[in-house]
């Protein structure tokens, strides 16, 4: 902020160095050596709109999403399908809670067919932490020639994600959730399918040779290499970018697998006690440790539960009839036991 209040002190190279460090840290986090496949974006909706702009689709195709996934990973596909008379297939979980995550994953795999153009899904469901089997979904999409587009906002940073293993066509993440960054900045990985695509805006810094300020009006037809064409305008943001870099560096020190293990350790006993008290929590094989849903018994007074949680200063989210619990490294088992005590009262 001190640097920004005196912009005359900023050298020209600083318009590029910050974003380059940002790409480097995010690439390290998702295990890719191709830094130029990383784009600095404003939001998930921005990244998904960039993806949607470069999808060729017609009336014979379908797009698959999960029921009640976050709107920013639904609205772009609604528009794409509407404009091209394609089918948007929404795949939901079973009504029964028995093996809910397992059956939901099976339904998604069964929904992918030869007419599927893309599957747009999260690694975990934002409402209740249901974990989707991305390796199997990737395998199935490859079998039919479909793209895999992932919203990693509720997972990347706390749940290990390996680009070289999953090989998504695009991974889009908001910065303000598990990446611990500020609002209005995010990161996206774009695979080779998008190497020659069109960005949703035409800004000067995304063009080839934009580093030469003296030649900016020697207009270039070519973009910067890789995914840099999809960078948001004013990507150099001298306040948000340094904050995001610092957050990513910290996560790369902590490491997502250790964060996931820690969250599993502190939540194991509390979850057991919640189940004993009549609450339902998904089997650990089909949910994340850093984000999971607690479902009260049928007929429970949700408003009373909300008042009790507020009175005891416990911060959780309600998504429909699910209590979303999201522990991180700053929490302890005692925090979660306080939640159990409050819910069980």
């Amino acid at each position: 902020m001190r640097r920004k209040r005196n912009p005359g002190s900023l050298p020209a190279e600083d318009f590029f160095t910050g974003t380059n460090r940002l790409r480097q840290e995010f690439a390290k986090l998702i295990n890719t050596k191709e830094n130029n496949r990383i784009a600095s974006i404003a939001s998930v909706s921005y990244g998904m709109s960039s993806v949607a702009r470069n999808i060729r689709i017609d009336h014979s195709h379908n797009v698959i999403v999960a029921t009640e996934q976050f709107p920013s990973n639904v609205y772009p596909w609604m528009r794409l399908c509407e404009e091209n008379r394609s089918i948007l297939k929404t795949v939901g979980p079973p009504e029964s809670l028995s093996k809910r995550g397992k059956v939901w994953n099976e339904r998604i795999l069964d929904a992918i067919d030869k007419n599927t153009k893309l599957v747009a899904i999260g690694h975990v469901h934002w409402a209740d932490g249901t974990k989707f089997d991305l390796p199997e979904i990737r395998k199935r999409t490859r079998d039919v020639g479909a793209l895999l587009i992932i919203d990693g906002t509720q997972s990347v940073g706390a749940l290990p994600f390996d680009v070289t293993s999953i090989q998504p066509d695009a991974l889009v993440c908001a910065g303000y959730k598990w990446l611990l960054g500020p609002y209005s900045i995010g990161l996206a990985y774009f695979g080779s399918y998008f190497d020659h695509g069109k960005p949703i805006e035409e800004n000067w810094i995304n063009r080839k040779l934009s580093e030469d300020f003296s030649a900016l009006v020697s207009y270039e037809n070519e973009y910067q290499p890789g995914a840099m064409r999809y960078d948001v305008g004013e990507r150099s943001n001298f306040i948000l970018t340094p904050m995001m870099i610092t957050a990513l560096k910290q996560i790369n020190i902590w490491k997502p697998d250790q964060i996931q293990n820690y969250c599993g350790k502190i939540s194991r006993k509390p979850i057991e006690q919640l189940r004993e008290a009549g609450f339902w929590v998904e089997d650990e094989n089909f949910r994340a440790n850093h984000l999971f849903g607690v479902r009260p018994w049928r007929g429970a007074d949700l408003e009373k539960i909300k008042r009790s949680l507020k009175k005891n200063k416990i911060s959780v989210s309600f998504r429909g009839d699910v209590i979303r619990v999201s522990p991180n490294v700053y929490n302890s088992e005692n925090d979660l036991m306080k939640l159990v005590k409050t819910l069980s009262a």
Side-chain angles (χ1 to χ4, degrees):
M1 291 175 68
R2 285 194 295 268
R3 293 177 70 227
K4 184 66 174 67
R5 74 185 182 187
N6 184 17
S9 66
L10 293 170
E13 56 266 26
D14 280 13
F15 281 80
F16 303 88
T17 53
T19 311
N20 289 339
R21 287 197 296 271
L22 186 64
R23 295 186 216 281
Q24 182 180 2
E25 290 297 329
F26 188 67
K28 180 179 179 181
L29 179 64
I30 63 173
N31 191 31
T32 178
K33 295 180 180 180
E34 298 181 279
N35 295 359
N36 66 0
R37 293 211 171 278
I38 309 301
S40 177
I41 58 175
S43 60
V44 170
S45 58
Y46 188 97
M48 291 300 178
S49 294
S50 297
V51 171
R53 176 176 170 79
N54 292 284
I55 303 294
R56 298 293 171 261
I57 195 170
D58 61 40
H59 69 279
S60 68
H61 293 123
N62 65 67
V63 172
I64 293 176
V65 298
T67 293
E68 295 183 350
Q69 66 184 32
F70 196 77
S72 295
N73 194 21
V74 176
Y75 287 135
W77 317 122
M78 288 174 61
R79 171 182 283 185
L80 184 68
C81 289
E82 180 181 353
E83 291 178 347
N84 295 279
R85 296 184 295 119
S86 305
I87 298 172
L88 182 64
K89 295 169 67 173
T90 303
V91 183
E95 291 187 11
S96 171
L97 295 179
S98 177
K99 299 182 179 179
R100 182 177 181 273
K102 180 177 184 295
V103 174
W104 198 354
N105 272 277
E106 290 170 350
R107 288 184 173 186
I108 291 170
L109 291 172
D110 289 342
I112 302 170
D113 59 31
K114 61 182 177 63
N115 295 317
T116 300
K117 185 66 177 181
L118 67 93
V119 176
I121 201 168
H123 194 172
V124 300
H125 197 282
W126 75 293
D128 63 12
T130 300
K131 187 161 59 175
F132 297 114
D133 191 344
L134 296 185
E136 285 300 313
I137 294 173
R138 171 77 284 188
K139 180 181 177 182
R140 178 62 179 146
T141 55
R142 287 208 187 281
D143 288 344
V144 300
L147 301 174
L148 178 59
I149 311 300
I150 300 170
D151 177 1
T153 300
Q154 292 289 5
S155 57
V156 176
L159 183 67
F161 188 96
D162 189 333
V163 159
T164 61
S165 174
I166 298 172
Q167 298 181 356
D169 294 290
L171 168 69
V172 182
C173 304
Y176 70 95
K177 287 287 186 177
W178 298 94
L179 294 179
L180 306 182
Y183 215 59
S184 297
I185 189 172
L187 287 305
Y189 165 91
F190 290 88
S192 59
Y193 179 91
F194 297 96
D195 280 354
H196 305 289
K198 294 181 179 180
I200 58 175
E201 61 173 316
E202 303 292 346
N203 62 71
W204 67 271
I205 204 168
N206 293 1
R207 296 286 176 159
K208 184 179 179 181
L209 303 178
S210 58
E211 297 86 352
D212 184 359
F213 281 24
S214 66
L216 290 181
V217 293
S218 298
Y219 304 117
E220 276 286 342
N221 288 322
E222 293 185 49
Y223 293 101
Q224 292 277 6
M228 288 190 277
R229 68 184 62 212
Y230 301 113
D231 281 341
V232 66
E234 302 184 7
R235 73 182 194 199
S236 309
N237 196 306
F238 298 106
I239 294 178
L240 299 186
T241 297
M243 293 170 72
M244 193 73 252
I245 292 170
T246 301
L248 289 172
K249 284 183 175 180
Q250 182 62 69
I251 293 171
N252 279 326
I253 292 171
W254 283 336
K255 301 190 183 308
D257 59 338
Q258 295 187 44
I259 295 172
Q260 194 67 196
N261 291 338
Y262 177 77
C263 291
K265 179 181 177 181
I266 65 172
S267 63
R268 191 166 295 113
K269 181 179 177 181
I271 287 175
E272 289 176 358
Q273 294 196 10
L274 283 170
R275 286 172 172 154
E276 291 172 0
F279 293 88
W280 182 87
V281 180
E282 178 63 80
D283 181 271
E284 64 180 9
N285 292 322
F286 291 96
R287 64 166 171 82
N289 291 326
H290 71 285
L291 191 158
F292 54 88
V294 177
R295 295 178 186 271
W297 56 89
R298 189 180 298 274
D301 188 340
L302 291 181
E303 292 305 315
K304 180 181 178 181
I305 291 174
K306 290 178 182 179
R307 290 193 298 270
S308 181
L309 290 168
K310 183 177 181 180
K311 179 182 177 181
N312 287 278
K313 299 181 179 180
I314 297 174
S315 179
V316 293
S317 300
F318 282 78
R319 296 291 180 264
D321 63 347
V322 181
I323 303 169
R324 187 180 73 180
V325 183
S326 308
N328 207 330
V329 295
Y330 42 73
N331 290 118
S332 67
E333 185 180 272
N334 287 338
D335 293 335
L336 289 166
M337 290 306 295
K338 183 178 180 181
L339 170 66
V340 174
K341 182 179 179 180
T342 302
L343 290 176
S344 303

